[in-house]
Amino acid sequence: MNTLKKNREFQNIYNLGKKCFGNYSLIFFNKNNLENSRFGFVASKKTGKAHCRNRIKRLFREYIRLNLENFNDNYDIILVGKKNLGDNIDIIKYIDIEKDLNKIFKVAKILKGK
């Protein structure tokens, strides 16, 4: 899994890309000129304390790891955790995040065959 690291890369996707919303998260995505997709994970301080933000990013990374072969190539994707995800982090399970992200990626038409 390739990740986005530089602020310039994030800002480029925020400014030029498209976005889709879900209950717990939102994604920003944009086509790239590379052979593979790159991913970025964001959980701001508004979502909660450090352990909440870390858990949110771990759940996002796990989703990407398990579904990496289903993504269309040549996309830069940023997954952002919303505030209500941080508020409910103690009761939310991976399956809830998976359903939410599947719905978002289906609308965005980024997953293969879906």
Side-chain angles (χ1 to χ4, degrees):
M1 169 176 35
N2 294 334
T3 58
L4 300 165
K5 302 261 191 241
K6 301 194 187 277
N7 184 30
R8 170 184 62 205
E9 296 169 339
F10 278 86
Q11 292 304 319
N12 187 29
I13 298 166
Y14 287 141
N15 294 332
L16 302 176
K18 298 176 185 174
K19 61 183 170 181
C20 289
F21 296 88
N23 294 332
Y24 299 119
S25 55
L26 63 112
I27 63 165
F28 292 88
F29 59 97
N30 196 14
K31 281 284 219 184
N32 66 25
N33 296 326
L34 304 174
E35 295 179 4
N36 50 17
S37 293
R38 299 183 300 175
F39 301 93
F41 308 98
V42 176
S44 72
K45 286 190 177 183
K46 292 179 183 178
T47 58
K49 297 188 183 246
H51 68 278
C52 294
R53 297 192 305 268
N54 291 335
R55 177 159 165 72
I56 290 167
K57 290 187 278 187
R58 277 197 309 269
L59 289 170
F60 285 160
R61 276 191 220 102
E62 183 66 8
Y63 175 82
I64 298 299
R65 185 184 70 81
L66 294 174
N67 296 292
L68 189 59
E69 68 278 353
N70 297 331
F71 283 95
N72 290 330
D73 292 338
N74 305 338
Y75 275 100
D76 288 336
I77 302 168
I78 300 174
L79 290 86
V80 181
K82 291 170 81 175
K83 185 174 183 329
N84 65 347
L85 176 58
D87 294 342
N88 300 317
I89 197 67
D90 295 332
I91 58 173
I92 290 180
K93 304 291 184 210
Y94 170 76
I95 193 74
D96 301 323
I97 300 294
E98 185 178 38
K99 287 179 185 175
D100 188 47
L101 290 174
N102 280 337
K103 183 177 78 168
I104 296 170
F105 285 122
K106 185 176 180 182
V107 169
K109 298 179 180 155
I110 295 176
L111 293 178
K112 292 178 186 173
K114 294 190 177 187

